[in-house]
Amino acid sequence: MFILASSSPRRIQILKTIIEDFVVVKPTFDETLISKKSKNYAMEESLNKALSVKSLAKPQDFILSCDTIIIFNNEIIGKPKDRNDAFLTLKKLSNNTHYVISGYTILHEDKIINREIKSQITFSELDDDFINYYIDNYEVMDKAGSYAIQDEVIFKRIKKMEGSYLNIMGLPLEDIKEQLKLLNAL
């Protein structure tokens, strides 16, 4: 059996492109237990998410978890606390470069794969009217960095992008696929 330790609709959608049959289990790990100053925050987060559902799995099962964060000026930016926080985050990212880092974990038998994938995005200027429009008309509250790259209006505001688009969406599928092939899961 394959278990996705995430309830993210984006991760479910992306994973379905390579695995038809899997079970979704929401992790029970408390994200506040990891210091925002941790150098490997996303990898630690994904490992703990995977371990939090391990008791529901059999040893031969595959467990996949992922956590995606934004790094801007050496600061971790997660999901916004409220509308004002979303506005301030997008204002910070406006006309600047930031990194999207996903840490993912695959547990299978006695194997633990824990990796990090980094992408880079530079936005053009996001003026106040655009930011307000975006927040009012798109779902930003459950997104690290207060945006979703798959929203066409935000995608058009990207000046430069380096790395995996799927990583920026929240699941670095290209790298995960390679690791699953090494485990004979695909």
Side-chain angles (χ1 to χ4, degrees):
M1 178 167 62
F2 199 97
I3 299 170
L4 174 62
S6 173
S7 55
S8 161
R10 292 165 305 286
R11 291 191 180 117
I12 293 167
Q13 173 191 5
I14 295 168
L15 187 59
K16 279 184 179 179
T17 65
I18 64 165
I19 298 176
E20 290 179 24
D21 190 28
F22 58 91
V23 176
V24 175
V25 177
K26 185 175 182 173
T28 58
F29 178 72
D30 180 1
E31 297 180 13
T32 62
L33 296 177
I34 298 177
S35 168
K36 290 276 188 184
K37 294 182 177 165
S38 171
K39 183 179 171 220
N40 299 313
Y41 182 89
M43 287 182 13
E44 286 181 45
E45 183 76 31
S46 73
L47 177 60
N48 283 292
K49 284 179 177 182
L51 292 172
S52 78
V53 302
K54 188 175 183 179
S55 65
L56 304 171
K58 297 181 179 102
Q60 68 271 21
D61 291 343
F62 291 86
I63 300 171
L64 170 65
S65 64
C66 186
D67 190 65
T68 302
I69 58 171
I70 304 290
I71 302 285
F72 176 69
N73 284 347
N74 294 317
E75 174 191 353
I76 294 175
I77 299 175
K79 298 171 186 170
K81 294 179 215 101
D82 54 31
R83 188 190 192 290
N84 187 55
D85 190 33
F87 182 89
L88 294 174
T89 296
L90 290 168
K91 196 75 176 156
K92 272 188 219 177
L93 300 179
S94 173
N95 219 18
N96 282 303
T97 299
H98 63 276
Y99 296 93
V100 179
I101 298 173
S102 291
Y104 75 85
T105 301
I106 300 170
L107 302 180
H108 176 65
E109 295 175 344
D110 61 344
K111 296 176 186 75
I112 298 174
I113 296 170
N114 189 228
R115 294 173 56 90
E116 179 180 276
I117 306 301
K118 185 188 286 189
S119 302
Q120 182 179 308
I121 291 189
T122 304
F123 278 124
S124 59
E125 185 174 348
L126 308 175
D127 63 39
D128 291 0
D129 288 341
F130 173 79
I131 293 172
N132 283 316
Y133 170 81
Y134 185 64
I135 292 170
D136 291 342
N137 293 284
Y138 292 84
E139 293 181 30
V140 301
M141 299 310 291
D142 67 336
K143 314 282 190 306
S146 304
Y147 74 91
I149 193 168
Q150 64 271 25
D151 294 336
E152 188 177 340
V153 296
I154 204 81
F155 187 79
K156 288 180 177 179
R157 301 292 177 119
I158 294 173
K159 195 186 296 185
K160 184 179 179 186
M161 179 174 72
E162 293 178 19
S164 165
Y165 174 85
L166 292 175
N167 180 51
I168 299 165
M169 246 180 106
L171 191 68
L173 192 65
E174 304 90 346
D175 200 76
I176 290 169
K177 193 174 178 180
E178 291 303 312
Q179 295 301 316
L180 289 173
K181 282 180 183 176
L182 293 173
L183 294 171
N184 296 316
L186 294 179

